[in-house]
């Protein structure tokens, strides 16, 4: 059903809603208020680079850990719930940031929180959706991401520069969409049994991180996202 695919992809709506307005509007504005003169671009570039560097590893790390806890917990929902709760805490730190170090720590916490949830969450479409229906599931995910960007653009125009309202809206959307996704996948069974996990190790994570780069298709998907 269409409603099931929408529910499954709901957390992607929240993720796009959050990052689109924070990275393009809110966080650069906060840096400008904290950092004097022409230093703001340098400082914001540093903050963004730190987050981007972590983002290259974070989702894979928590996805790797969720694979190994899958047999104990039964599904990936705890990661989504914990990531959503941590996101609210990070937003609370960011909304009142009046020092650059608070902003940096809040931003890094937000990045880690996002990875805790979205790393394992990324596995749900291949895990729960049969191959012949994955195009529909992926299309729904892409549509919700685009709708989120349009929605947040309209919202930003309506509230102007009210940072408190923006952060409050992000938190509410984040929790609401997480609850929708968690409710949707309750009781859902993987289309094939999960393989027995190997013991977690740094070497195992590194091998798992490198392996996809051997696929030409994966490289081009990553490269187009990198350009974006």
């Amino acid at each position: 059903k269409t409603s099931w695919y929408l529910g499954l992809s709901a957390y992607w709506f929240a993720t796009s809603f959050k990052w689109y307005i924070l990275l393009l509007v809110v966080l650069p504005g906060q840096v400008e208020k904290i950092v004097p003169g022409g230093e703001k671009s340098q400082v914001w570039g540093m903050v963004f680079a730190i987050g981007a560097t972590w983002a290259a590893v974070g989702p894979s790390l928590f996805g790797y850990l969720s694979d190994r806890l899958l047999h104990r917990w039964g599904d990936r929902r705890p990661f989504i719930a914990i990531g959503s709760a941590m996101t609210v805490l990070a937003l609370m730190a960011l909304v009142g940031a009046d020092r650059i170090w608070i902003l940096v720590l809040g931003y890094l916490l937000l990045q880690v929180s996002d990875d805790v949830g979205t790393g394992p969450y990324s596995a749900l479409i291949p895990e729960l959706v049969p191959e012949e229906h994955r195009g529909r599931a992926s299309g729904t995910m892409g549509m919700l991401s685009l709708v989120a960007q349009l929605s947040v653009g309209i919202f930003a125009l309506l509230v102007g520069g009210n940072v408190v309202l923006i952060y409050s809206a992000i938190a509410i959307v984040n929790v609401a969409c997480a609850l929708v996704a968690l409710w949707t996948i309750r009781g859902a069974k993987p289309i094939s049994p999960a393989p027995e996990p190997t013991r977690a190790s740094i070497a195992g994570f590194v091998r798992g991180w490198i392996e996809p780069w051997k696929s030409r298709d994966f490289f081009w998907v990553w490269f187009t996202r990198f350009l974006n």
Side-chain angles (χ1 to χ4, degrees):
K1 293 182 179 181
T2 300
S3 59
W4 190 85
Y5 288 108
L6 289 171
L8 175 66
S9 299
Y11 201 52
W12 287 127
F13 178 93
T15 300
S16 295
F17 189 95
K18 171 182 65 188
W19 288 121
Y20 191 72
I21 193 169
L22 285 181
L23 295 181
L24 294 182
V25 179
V26 180
L27 289 175
Q30 287 183 274
V31 171
E32 186 173 3
K33 289 181 179 179
I34 297 172
V35 181
E39 297 177 13
K40 62 179 183 295
S41 296
Q42 179 181 353
V43 172
W44 173 236
M46 177 194 70
V47 174
F48 186 81
I50 292 171
T53 301
W54 167 257
V57 178
S60 301
L61 174 62
F62 290 107
Y64 178 80
L65 293 176
S66 74
D67 284 345
R68 275 133 194 86
L69 292 173
L70 195 60
H71 289 266
R72 183 183 301 176
W73 289 356
D75 57 34
R76 303 184 192 272
R77 289 183 298 171
F79 281 91
I80 300 171
I82 294 170
S84 177
M86 289 176 60
T87 295
V88 173
L89 294 177
L91 293 171
M92 291 172 64
L94 284 169
V95 70
D98 57 358
R99 298 286 188 277
I100 193 63
W101 67 269
I102 298 176
L103 189 75
V104 170
L105 288 179
Y107 177 68
L108 291 179
L109 175 59
L110 184 67
Q111 186 72 69
V112 172
S113 304
D114 187 73
D115 296 340
V116 169
T118 58
Y121 179 65
S122 300
L124 291 182
I125 287 181
E127 199 166 78
L128 302 179
V129 179
E131 188 170 354
E132 62 271 21
H133 297 306
R134 287 178 189 168
R136 182 180 180 184
S138 298
T140 303
M141 179 189 73
M143 180 197 70
L144 285 183
S145 296
L146 178 60
V147 170
Q149 294 177 16
L150 295 173
S151 300
V152 81
I154 295 171
F155 176 75
L157 288 174
L158 292 176
V159 302
N162 193 319
V163 173
V164 174
L165 273 181
I166 292 173
Y167 274 110
S168 298
I170 295 171
I172 292 170
V173 169
N174 169 74
V175 173
C177 289
L179 290 174
V180 170
L182 292 172
W183 177 262
T184 300
I185 63 175
R186 73 195 190 287
K189 301 297 183 183
I191 55 178
S192 59
E196 287 295 328
T198 56
R199 185 174 182 177
S201 66
I202 295 176
F205 168 72
V206 171
R207 285 195 301 270
W209 193 88
I210 292 175
E211 190 66 27
W213 296 96
K214 298 177 182 179
S215 166
R216 184 182 180 91
D217 292 339
F218 176 84
F219 170 79
W220 284 111
V221 168
W222 176 88
F223 185 66
T224 54
R225 290 285 293 171
F226 173 78
L227 293 177
N228 183 55

